[in-house]
Amino acid sequence: MNDYRNTSAESSRAMALPANTGNKQEMALTKYDTSNKGSNMALQIKAGRYIGQILVDGGFVSPHDLELALEEQKSTNDLLGQVLTRMGVIDPTELTVALSLQEQLLSLEDAVKAAAGVRQMLGALLLQAGKISEEQLEQAIAEQKKSGEKLGEIFVRLGFLTERQLDALLDFQQGQGSSQSTLSPIKLGDILVSAGYISREKLDSALSKQTNSRKKLGEVLIEEGYVMPQQVQHGIHLQQKLLTSILVALLALASVSDAQAASSKSSSTQLKVSATVLPYTQMSVHNQSAMLIITETDISRGFVDVPGGSSIEMKSNSRDGHYLSFESSAEIFRQVRIDGLGKPALLGAGSSIVPVAMEGREVRIQLSYRFILSENIQPGAYPWPLTVSVIPM
């Protein structure tokens, strides 16, 4: 099993981390790997799905714990997984299972193929990925009753999804209902094997016996004495975490594909050149508050404005532009409007990527925010809810 070693400052910062509030924060993203599959953008960027990103997406570790681990890793050069387990923030068994997912998230096609298990409704998948809220789902269902449209079409029309994200989710959903026997890191049996609870031979035996019964795999495994009930329950728990990681990655990879499709032909030319001249982008975040203050007045009107909330300086050798990747694990807002990117960007909670033109080798932009608050939010001071990273085209 591979626990990829992040040995450089570039790869250790492949995860987007919160900006320092005192001094500016330098962030150099991992360079493209153009040695395989030509200029496939999704493969080159990998949507930031290094093991740290997978662990955060699935709720295995918190963003704060990951940041602490990355800081420690820079001085020890240990494997990231070793640092996290030494900190006591993740069980080694769960780390091993999460590592089995890493090679499945190199491209959008890979993420779709990882589908397994019982087919879920589209709304349930989006809720699990944190892409929409319960309120937004109810809004879409109400629209469906009025218009008679398909729910996915309504999600696109309301701006909750792009068409490419919808297509990817529908493909994934179709894969969930498939009976194909290919290996998948989120099939319960494969999870139990990765966790070391059963051998591959015992799993094959249980699957053979399951075909002659209507019992669930977990029931067969327990009846045969291959596993304990608590191990099956743990496997199901891990299955949900892995599913969340895949859904978040799938939506992010689809966002990258959207941005790639919207780029000009010269962008494709630049990607071919980047096989020999690797693109890089450095970003510094200045003057960003460590906290987001929410008052009773903000709650009553449903949003809080933060004018000039971030000052970002970027240096790049890419003439084609770059993507700004915004990530949020906080639950204090449903949507955020970001001004200062040429035109307003309305993003949901979770992961979003916005293409930005690059005019010159150095660019400075001032970002202002309007956070649309979640229901039941209380007044107070909250940690700044967004992290931002930059990826060259």
Side-chain angles (χ1 to χ4, degrees), residues 364-384:
R364 295 185 181 183
I365 57 176
Q366 191 81 13
L367 300 182
S368 297
Y369 305 86
R370 170 169 288 189
F371 293 97
I372 310 301
L373 300 176
S374 299
E375 293 183 359
N376 303 320
I377 191 71
Q378 299 297 318
Y382 295 83
W384 185 255

Side-chain angles (χ1 to χ4, degrees), residues 58-355:
F60 292 93
V61 301
S62 69
H64 176 68
D65 286 336
L66 178 61
E67 182 178 6
L68 293 177
L70 288 172
E71 288 298 322
E72 180 178 333
Q73 187 194 31
K74 289 196 297 185
S75 60
T76 65
N77 199 33
D78 288 336
L79 299 175
L80 181 58
Q82 290 176 332
V83 177
L84 289 166
T85 52
R86 186 166 61 241
M87 290 170 57
V89 298
I90 188 171
D91 181 84
T93 298
E94 296 198 356
L95 175 64
T96 300
V97 172
L99 282 166
S100 70
L101 187 62
Q102 192 170 25
E103 294 183 358
Q104 300 293 322
L105 301 180
L106 298 180
S107 70
L108 180 58
E109 293 75 14
D110 290 334
V112 169
K113 290 177 183 177
V118 179
R119 184 173 180 176
Q120 294 175 261
M121 302 296 288
L122 181 61
L125 293 175
L126 289 171
L127 285 173
Q128 182 156 353
K131 186 64 175 176
I132 63 171
S133 65
E134 290 277 2
E135 182 183 11
Q136 289 172 321
L137 177 57
E138 292 174 2
Q139 179 187 355
I141 292 174
E143 287 282 331
Q144 184 185 38
K145 291 179 179 178
K146 295 177 183 178
S147 66
E149 295 174 89
K150 292 182 179 180
L151 194 58
E153 295 172 350
I154 294 174
F155 285 136
V156 172
R157 177 163 60 80
L158 294 178
F160 299 158
L161 286 177
T162 67
E163 290 187 3
R164 197 177 296 266
Q165 287 175 326
L166 174 61
D167 290 342
L169 276 173
L170 291 175
D171 288 342
F172 183 88
Q173 185 188 47
Q174 188 68 29
Q176 283 189 306
S178 174
S179 59
Q180 60 184 1
S181 60
T182 56
L183 295 178
S184 168
I186 62 171
K187 284 186 175 180
L188 179 60
D190 293 315
I191 291 172
L192 295 175
V193 171
S194 295
Y197 291 152
I198 58 172
S199 66
R200 177 62 60 182
E201 291 73 21
K202 288 183 177 180
L203 173 60
D204 291 340
S205 173
L207 288 171
S208 177
K209 290 176 174 144
Q210 185 192 21
T211 58
N212 300 320
S213 70
R214 295 183 178 180
K215 296 178 181 179
K216 296 180 179 179
L217 176 61
E219 294 174 340
V220 176
L221 289 169
I222 294 171
E223 287 179 0
E224 294 297 318
Y226 293 158
V227 293
M228 301 294 290
Q230 58 267 32
Q231 291 175 323
V232 173
Q233 289 301 317
H234 189 214
I236 293 172
H237 177 67
L238 292 175
Q239 187 179 47
Q240 291 304 305
K241 287 188 172 183
L242 294 177
L243 175 59
T244 301
S245 291
I246 289 176
L247 291 171
V248 173
L250 182 145
L251 292 169
L253 285 160
S255 294
V256 172
S257 297
D258 279 325
Q260 180 188 14
S263 63
S264 63
K265 293 182 180 180
S266 61
S267 177
S268 299
T269 303
Q270 177 63 24
L271 282 173
K272 293 178 181 178
V273 174
S274 68
T276 53
V277 181
L278 297 176
Y280 75 90
T281 299
Q282 290 182 319
M283 182 180 74
S284 304
V285 180
H286 306 264
N287 305 323
Q288 181 168 287
S289 173
M291 310 297 291
L292 177 64
I293 308 300
I294 299 177
T295 66
E296 289 283 1
T297 301
D298 297 326
I299 294 174
S300 64
R301 66 186 179 184
F303 64 88
V304 56
D305 284 330
V306 185
S310 302
S311 178
I312 297 178
E313 179 182 354
M314 287 167 286
K315 299 178 181 180
S316 176
N317 68 346
S318 173
R319 297 179 180 178
D320 300 310
H322 50 268
Y323 306 102
L324 283 182
S325 174
F326 294 90
E327 301 259 352
S328 172
S329 58
E331 298 180 352
I332 63 176
F333 70 91
R334 296 182 287 109
Q335 289 182 313
V336 57
R337 170 178 164 160
I338 304 177
D339 293 305
L341 299 173
K343 62 180 180 179
L346 186 62
L347 311 178
S351 304
S352 298
I353 296 178
V354 180

